[in-house]
Amino acid sequence: MKTIKVKNKTEGSKVAFKILQEEIEAGAKTLGLATGSTPLELYKEIRESHLDFSDMVSINLDEYVGLSADDKQSYAYFMKQNLFAAKPFKKSYLPNGLAADLAKETEYYDQILAQYPIDLQILGIGRNAHIGFNEPGTAFSSQTHLVDLTPSTIAANSRFFEKAEDVPKQAISMGLASIMSAKMILLMAFGEEKAEAVAAMIKGPVTEEIPASILQTHPKVILIVDEKAGAGI
Ligand code: F6R
């Protein structure tokens, strides 16, 4: 794992943008994308750039079950607002959280991943070192799967919803093996609340209790951390 230490999120996002640009120039055709606050400035950099994705494919990490693409809390909506409206891809995939048969949907998503191997996967990391929706205890061998959200995640998400019953209880996520099959991974971590997870990911044992620790065994990972997130490494 190559670590790049930067001052802050803005600088880190610019470094990430440069790496992305170089990979596209070198022939990357399929991008793996994340939602959340971490990639927001990277997506802004991309929106304001000359980059053209019209001949490329994007595959997102995850989506909530039960939300439609025009629901403001869905990851499909997030991606449209922050990237796809300005920079459309030839084809963009997100798990369909409204699929009638969710097990079939996870299998379909794995077929998509097999058809379009990810050249560069963008990742954030959770405070407990989760990547995607792969919480501690998720098997390293996991492919795309249905996740029961933990009570603490449901409680944390409830602030975005008017009614408690509207808060998603499940999500579909690429698994850890799916993420590991990307040819290159670019993980960004910003802010002190990520410091412990970053230190555990890099220095801790490779264990399913620290989902991101699996990245220690990937041949091509670049980690971009700001001073605060990198305080423990
Ligand atoms: C998002 C995702 C999550 C986030 C992680 C960090 O698609 O899969 O694993 O990357 O929860 O979230 P932020 O960036 O909001 O701190």
Side-chain angles (χ1 to χ4, degrees), residues 93-205:
Y93 293 97
L94 280 106
N96 175 10
L98 288 181
D101 186 335
L102 294 167
K104 262 216 178 108
E105 175 65 16
T106 62
E107 282 167 27
Y108 167 73
Y109 214 64
D110 282 336
Q111 283 167 22
I112 297 298
L113 287 164
Q115 190 181 345
Y116 301 106
I118 291 176
D119 293 305
L120 175 63
Q121 173 70 53
I122 307 291
L123 286 183
I125 185 169
R127 290 168 192 225
N128 61 2
H130 71 227
I131 47 179
F133 264 116
N134 299 290
E135 301 292 351
T138 307
F140 282 157
S141 60
S142 52
Q143 304 287 344
T144 305
H145 60 291
L146 192 59
V147 181
D148 291 323
L149 301 181
T150 59
S152 69
T153 302
I154 296 170
N157 286 345
S158 63
R159 68 186 189 279
F160 299 117
F161 294 84
E162 274 175 27
K163 289 180 275 167
E165 63 263 33
D166 292 344
V167 186
K169 311 281 185 302
Q170 290 182 308
I172 295 174
S173 179
M174 274 167 56
L176 292 166
S178 331
I179 292 171
M180 285 294 285
S181 63
K183 289 177 201 146
M184 177 175 174
I185 293 175
L186 181 57
L187 189 148
M188 293 180 283
F190 305 122
E192 59 194 340
E193 67 275 16
K194 302 293 173 72
E196 230 174 90
V198 167
M201 164 174 69
I202 294 193
K203 303 200 293 196

Side-chain angles (χ1 to χ4, degrees), residues 34-38 61-62 75 124-126 130-133 194:
T35 58
S37 59
T38 303
L61 281 169
D62 41 20
Y75 288 173
I125 185 169
H130 71 227
I131 47 179
F133 264 116
K194 302 293 173 72

Side-chain angles (χ1 to χ4, degrees), residues 72-88:
K72 292 201 166 99
Q73 305 305 335
S74 74
Y75 288 173
Y77 187 88
F78 174 100
M79 290 309 300
K80 194 172 162 206
Q81 291 294 107
N82 290 293
L83 191 60
F84 298 156
K87 293 285 182 185

